[in-house]
Amino acid sequence: MAPVPRTLYDALGLDREARLGEIRRAYDRLVAEFDLDTTPPDPRREALIREAFAVLSDPQRRADYDRTLETLAAPPPAPGGSKAVAIGAAAAVVAVVALAGWFFGGRSPAPTVAARPVAEILAEASRSVGRMQAFELSGNPVATGVAFAVAPGVMATACQGLAPGAQVVVRIGSREVPARMDAADEALGLCRLAVDGAGSWPLPGGPVPRAGDKVYAVGLSGAGEVQLAEAQVKRVFSEGGRSVVDAGIAVPAGHGGRPLLDAGGRIVAAAVAPPGGGAAVHVVIPQGWAEVTPAAGKP
């Protein structure tokens, strides 16, 4: 049995100065290994790696965790003192036990998100979510779905049906704004849109949800009004190198790209179709995805 990593950074093979992009790449590499036939199943290690990514990719959770590491750190050794060596060893044991307890004992190192009134979440989503329609240069419609603001002037939607050069229009409430496909993340199935005159009210990103968490699936009525469907996460699992949230919510036709929000109104996933086609699933959106330029299908 492999030894228990001493820190979350060790779990991802990183040092404490690792940047967000390095954390994401390390996580993607490790998750991809889970799907190899040559990799023996290790549910505990998988859970540890996923939780490590959830904590270290969230600035607030990472800061809280770093403070915990500092608390557990051994005091400076006294000159020539075997007692100091013993204290340092004891502190290391405490750190390992604490880490193992968090993950193997079922406890989370992060506080539960404070639930917000549904009316507030709906009001914010109504300013940030709209109907996406793509057209060929000839004017023929080629794709439709849901787009949502992730940063000022930046929206995200499902890539299915989108092609380079397609003209895109996003309707948010009564406004229609032009957009263009800025980058495609083939690994997630998400495309980033550069939108003029929209995206000024981006929805915040949240950590990877856990089984039992409350979530809201954002949808649009026939008139384009934003609606929320409440559900509970059943499980979060790996599929094709992506983390998928199963909340028992089907994705209606024309709702590809719709976001999944947590109880705090933060984006945790988006509905995209599997690479081989089929019913859409809610894929976890990594922290910082909007700020990292996808290249060759990977952000």
Side-chain angles (χ1 to χ4, degrees):
M1 179 181 296
V4 177
R6 292 182 56 179
T7 70
L8 297 181
Y9 294 97
D10 292 340
L12 296 179
L14 300 170
D15 56 42
R16 289 187 59 179
E17 287 70 40
R19 297 183 178 180
L20 180 59
E22 296 174 302
I23 293 171
R24 172 67 197 282
R25 287 191 291 273
Y27 173 74
D28 285 346
R29 175 179 54 79
L30 292 169
V31 169
E33 292 177 1
F34 297 157
D35 296 328
L36 297 177
D37 294 336
T38 55
T39 303
D42 191 343
R44 288 186 173 183
R45 179 170 176 265
E46 290 188 25
L48 174 58
I49 288 172
R50 295 187 192 285
E51 190 69 11
F53 175 72
V55 172
L56 299 183
S57 62
D58 184 310
Q60 184 58 56
R61 296 180 71 180
R62 181 177 181 178
D64 292 341
Y65 177 71
D66 286 345
R67 282 193 292 270
T68 301
L69 290 182
E70 293 170 1
T71 300
L72 295 175
S82 59
K83 180 179 179 180
V85 175
I87 292 175
V93 171
V94 170
V96 173
V97 171
L99 180 64
W102 275 340
F103 300 104
F104 300 153
R107 297 195 299 273
S108 170
T112 302
V113 60
R116 297 174 56 199
V118 177
E120 288 185 9
I121 296 176
L122 179 60
E124 289 189 358
S126 296
R127 298 188 304 175
S128 306
V129 179
R131 173 74 64 191
M132 185 278 300
Q133 180 71 66
F135 303 87
E136 293 178 336
L137 294 179
S138 62
N140 295 323
V142 293
T144 185
V146 177
F148 54 95
V150 292
V154 180
M155 302 190 80
T157 189
C159 289
Q160 188 175 26
L162 288 179
Q167 300 176 6
V168 180
V169 173
V170 180
R171 184 179 182 87
I172 304 176
S174 60
R175 294 183 299 139
E176 284 193 354
V177 292
R180 60 181 173 80
M181 191 170 73
D182 181 48
D185 186 338
E186 296 177 3
L188 294 180
L190 280 177
C191 278
R192 198 169 63 196
L193 305 176
V195 185
D196 296 325
S200 297
W201 299 281
L203 294 169
V208 179
R210 295 169 295 183
D213 286 354
K214 179 189 295 184
V215 291
Y216 298 99
V218 181
L220 296 170
S221 68
E225 296 179 345
V226 173
Q227 301 173 326
L228 300 180
E230 182 179 326
Q232 189 176 62
V233 176
K234 296 181 178 180
R235 61 178 180 139
V236 179
F237 62 97
S238 176
E239 180 181 82
R242 308 180 299 184
S243 294
V244 177
V245 179
D246 177 10
I249 308 176
V251 181
H255 278 70
R258 75 174 186 187
L260 194 68
L261 311 180
D262 66 11
R266 302 176 301 181
I267 303 170
V268 294
V272 299
V281 295
H282 290 98
V283 174
V284 171
I285 302 176
Q287 291 285 324
W289 179 85
E291 289 76 36
V292 180
T293 302
K298 288 272 188 178

